[in-house]
């Protein structure tokens, strides 16, 4: 099998570390072949094989990503865009190769539209701070949805407070879908939530708690007709869906690397060039300036205007490798596998007495949240852990959504491409056992 050159770094030992045979490009999807690439799946937890169903919080990493990150430290560790020395040049080239990989992956027009951040939270704080400065005045409105992660609520609350703007919320239906029109119970008529004062629409592409895939393309088209700037929280979309920012038509798109098989502490804010040019920086410091005098500074060109300080170079290189790793597989086959796990888990869990699934939208990724009568999610999560099964319990950083569904928290299983039907069955059996103990 031919070796693929994965970055443009001049030949060095860095390439020896990273030039591994790519996984066989896999038209049929062989889950065992995929599992073999994740060292952590060999770990035992409480003496049991690890079943990892907390991928929405952070996914596990294939060996290639771990190697790419450590190869940077072992062979080319230096700061980027700073030195004339060889290591700095190589580190810079490796980082910029990752930027180009990500550009292609999300189909951005230019590499400088890809800004590196520490994760979705940082990306959305950047967006809210900078757009607030640029756009928001007293009485203006920012429209979010009732299923947002706190990272797509709190930064907008802060921005609204700073500028006297108002936060409006798209309601969520009982099935966990967005209802962008406000229904008037008395007349049965529906009113648009977009108003003349709406300046920003900020919604998640996929809900981390419900798994709902939101019709963001349609919402963006509606917003654009009205000249509204659109921000998409893609944290849960990047690992599962093909994301094409030009096709979506969004202005800004945020995601984390660590939920998409990449290293922790990595993330991206994609932005349309003309908007990024107009947006003011959100953090000041090294690298983001063109000139500094003691009176005044001017800004570097994109993307550096938004990348103050030393980035997580090793992580960014690892993220590039994670994206290339995903691209070696047929994304549709991966998605079909995860969907099969979701359907199987849904069917098996619903057969349990007193179990309710929160989030029954027609379009979902492999995320399943549930509550069980008489069982606290925390107790269930603890007992599942005793069986080596990692799920997340609690409000999943979506407290308003919990309130909407009248629950204090849920148990959530979130699947990745390396999960199996047998693992789902283990979870269902362990859940049944736990319920017997807890009721
Ligand atoms: N937006 C969504 C939709 C998310 O799911 C998350 C993290 C974030 C933003 C924040 O991402 P971060 O990488 O900056 O932390 N979601 C979760 C989760 O569901 N469980 O733990 C973290």
């Amino acid at each position: 099998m031919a070796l693929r050159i994965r970055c443009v770094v001049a030949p060095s030992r860095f390439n020896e570390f990273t030039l591994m045979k790519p996984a066989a490009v896999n038209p049929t999807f062989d889950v065992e072949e995929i599992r073999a690439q994740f060292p952590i799946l060999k770990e035992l937890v409480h003496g049991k094989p690890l079943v990892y169903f907390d991928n929405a919080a952070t996914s596990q990493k294939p060996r290639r990503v771990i190697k790419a990150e450590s190869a940077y430290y072992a062979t080319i560790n230096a700061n980027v865009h700073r030195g004339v020395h060889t290591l700095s040049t190589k580190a810079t080239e490796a980082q910029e190769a990752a930027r180009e990989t990500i550009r292609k992956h999300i189909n951005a027009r230019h590499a400088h539209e890809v800004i590196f951040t520490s994760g979705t939270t940082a990306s959305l704080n950047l967006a809210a701070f900078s757009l607030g400065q640029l756009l928001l005045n007293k009485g203006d409105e920012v429209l979010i949805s009732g299923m947002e992660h706190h990272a797509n609520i709190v930064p907008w609350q802060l921005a609204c407070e700073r500028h006297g703007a108002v936060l409006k919320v798209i309601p969520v239906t009982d099935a966990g879908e967005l209802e962008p029109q406000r229904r008037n119970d008395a007349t049965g008529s529906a009113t648009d939530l977009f108003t003349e004062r709406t300046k920003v629409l900020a919604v998640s592409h996929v809900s981390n708690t419900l798994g709902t895939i939101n019709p963001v393309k349609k919402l963006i088209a509606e917003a654009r007709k009205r000249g509204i700037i659109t921000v998409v929280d893609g944290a849960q979309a990047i690992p599962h869906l093909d994301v094409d920012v030009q096709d979506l038509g969004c202005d800004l798109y945020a995601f984390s690397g660590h939920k998409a098989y990449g290293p922790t502490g990595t993330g991206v804010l994609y932005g349309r060039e003309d908007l990024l040019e107009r947006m003011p920086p959100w953090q000041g410091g090294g690298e983001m300036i063109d000139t500094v005098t003691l009176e005044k500074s001017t800004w570097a060109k994109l993307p550096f205007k938004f990348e103050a300080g030393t980035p997580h170079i090793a992580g960014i290189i690892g993220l590039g490798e994670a994206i290339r790793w995903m691209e070696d597989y047929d994304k549709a086959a991966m998605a079909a596998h995860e969907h099969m796990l979701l359907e199987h888990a849904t069917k098996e869990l619903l057969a349990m007495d007193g179990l309710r699934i929160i989030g029954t939208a027609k379009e979902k990724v492999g995320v399943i949240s549930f509550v069980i009568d008489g069982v606290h999610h925390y107790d269930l999560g603890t007992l599942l852990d005793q069986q080596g099964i990692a799920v997340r319990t609690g409000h999943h950083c979506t407290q308003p959504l919990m309130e909407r569904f009248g629950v204090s928290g849920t148990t959530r299983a979130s699947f990745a491409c390396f999960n199996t039907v047998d693992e789902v069955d283990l979870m269902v059996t362990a859940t049944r056992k736990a319920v017997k103990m807890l009721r």
Side-chain angles (χ1 to χ4, degrees):
M1 186 179 299
L3 293 178
R4 282 189 327 133
I5 305 292
R6 294 215 175 71
C7 63
V8 295
V9 184
S12 76
R13 289 209 317 123
F14 179 74
N15 284 12
E16 277 171 40
F17 275 83
T18 55
L19 277 177
M20 290 167 282
K21 282 192 175 198
V25 176
N26 200 339
T28 53
F29 195 81
D30 175 354
V31 72
E32 288 309 321
E33 185 270 333
I34 288 195
R35 289 178 70 77
Q37 298 178 51
F38 287 80
I40 207 166
L41 297 179
K42 295 200 173 59
E43 290 296 306
L44 299 180
V45 173
H46 298 297
K48 306 267 172 21
L50 168 67
V51 172
Y52 189 77
F53 284 159
D54 197 15
N55 294 286
T58 196
S59 64
Q60 297 303 346
K61 325 299 174 201
R63 195 173 286 106
R64 253 170 72 180
V65 170
I66 300 166
K67 280 200 171 180
E69 190 168 359
S70 66
Y72 159 78
Y73 286 124
T75 63
I76 59 169
N77 176 53
N79 214 327
V80 287
H81 295 293
R82 280 163 173 81
V84 292
H85 63 80
T86 301
L87 287 192
S88 175
T89 306
K90 285 182 176 169
T92 302
E93 285 175 356
Q95 175 179 289
E96 294 311 310
R99 200 187 303 272
E100 174 58 19
T101 296
I102 292 160
R103 179 202 71 73
K104 265 202 234 135
H105 190 73
I106 62 173
N107 193 30
R109 276 185 202 84
H110 310 288
H112 59 250
E113 293 178 321
V114 174
I115 296 159
F116 289 125
T117 68
S118 62
T120 309
T121 301
S123 298
L124 291 170
N125 273 277
L126 188 172
F129 177 86
S130 183
L131 287 180
Q133 300 283 107
L134 181 70
L135 295 174
L136 293 182
N137 290 304
K138 198 165 173 8
D140 284 341
E141 293 171 8
V142 173
L143 185 58
I144 61 169
S145 92
M147 66 170 78
E148 297 310 310
H149 187 280
H150 297 164
N152 202 29
I153 301 174
V154 183
W156 299 110
Q157 287 174 336
L158 293 170
C160 285
E161 240 168 62
R162 269 195 303 273
H163 301 286
V166 181
L167 196 65
K168 294 274 183 88
V169 182
I170 302 174
V172 175
T173 66
D174 290 345
E177 292 172 337
L178 292 183
E179 201 169 26
Q181 303 212 304
R182 194 190 294 120
R183 223 166 288 281
N184 181 326
D185 289 339
T187 64
S189 64
T191 350
D192 218 328
L193 279 160
F194 294 117
T195 76
E196 307 231 305
R197 298 304 303 264
T198 313
K199 289 287 162 62
V200 177
L201 167 73
V203 285
S204 49
H205 197 164
V206 171
S207 158
N208 65 315
T209 301
L210 308 170
T212 309
I213 303 172
N214 289 318
V216 283
K217 188 172 170 181
K218 208 166 126 207
L219 281 170
I220 290 165
E222 287 298 313
R224 285 190 74 141
K225 269 194 258 166
R226 297 161 168 86
I228 296 165
I229 295 295
T230 54
V231 182
V232 180
D233 173 352
Q236 301 295 340
I238 286 286
H240 305 292
L241 308 177
D242 275 326
V243 173
D244 178 333
V245 290
Q246 291 189 62
D247 181 57
L248 285 176
C250 57
D251 293 298
L252 301 177
Y253 194 97
F255 64 93
S256 299
H258 67 102
K259 296 178 198 290
Y261 308 105
T264 52
T266 60
V268 165
L269 181 68
Y270 154 82
R272 244 188 34 230
E273 181 186 44
D274 58 323
L275 178 63
L276 290 178
E277 291 288 6
R278 287 189 291 131
M279 285 166 61
W282 82 303
Q283 287 183 330
E287 269 310 287
M288 53 74 70
I289 52 85
D290 180 24
T291 60
V292 178
T293 66
L294 290 177
E295 290 73 38
K296 184 177 171 341
S297 303
T298 58
W299 313 137
K301 59 185 180 9
L302 294 173
F304 309 112
K305 180 170 86 171
F306 294 107
E307 292 181 355
T310 301
H312 182 8
I313 307 162
I316 291 167
I317 291 169
L319 173 56
E321 192 62 16
I323 300 285
R324 288 186 280 269
W325 180 82
M326 280 199 290
E327 286 176 347
D328 275 350
Y329 292 90
D330 176 353
K331 197 91 180 258
M334 265 189 184
H337 175 76
E338 291 170 5
H339 197 72
M340 179 271 293
L341 296 176
L342 174 69
E343 291 203 325
H344 183 66
T346 304
K347 182 171 130 278
E348 294 297 318
L349 286 172
L350 280 178
M352 287 179 60
D353 213 22
L355 186 145
R356 180 161 63 106
I357 290 176
I358 307 291
T360 52
K362 277 192 217 82
E363 299 281 333
K364 280 183 70 168
V365 300
V367 169
I368 186 160
S369 267
F370 56 94
V371 290
I372 306 176
D373 291 344
V375 173
H376 195 278
H377 47 84
Y378 180 81
D379 295 335
L380 177 57
T382 306
L383 289 176
L384 290 180
D385 179 61
Q386 296 295 317
Q387 303 299 312
I389 301 166
V391 292
R392 184 166 172 193
T393 62
H395 53 60
H396 316 295
C397 300
T398 53
Q399 285 185 20
L401 187 64
M402 295 294 105
E403 200 176 316
R404 158 69 183 82
F405 281 96
V407 295
S408 63
T410 73
T411 302
R412 180 190 70 183
S414 50
F415 305 127
C417 64
F418 54 74
N419 290 128
T420 66
V421 172
D422 286 351
E423 289 182 320
V424 172
D425 289 342
L426 279 173
M427 178 184 74
V428 172
T429 306
T431 302
R432 284 185 183 280
K433 225 160 102 185
V435 170
K436 272 199 198 129
M437 287 171 69
L438 293 168
R439 269 200 188 134

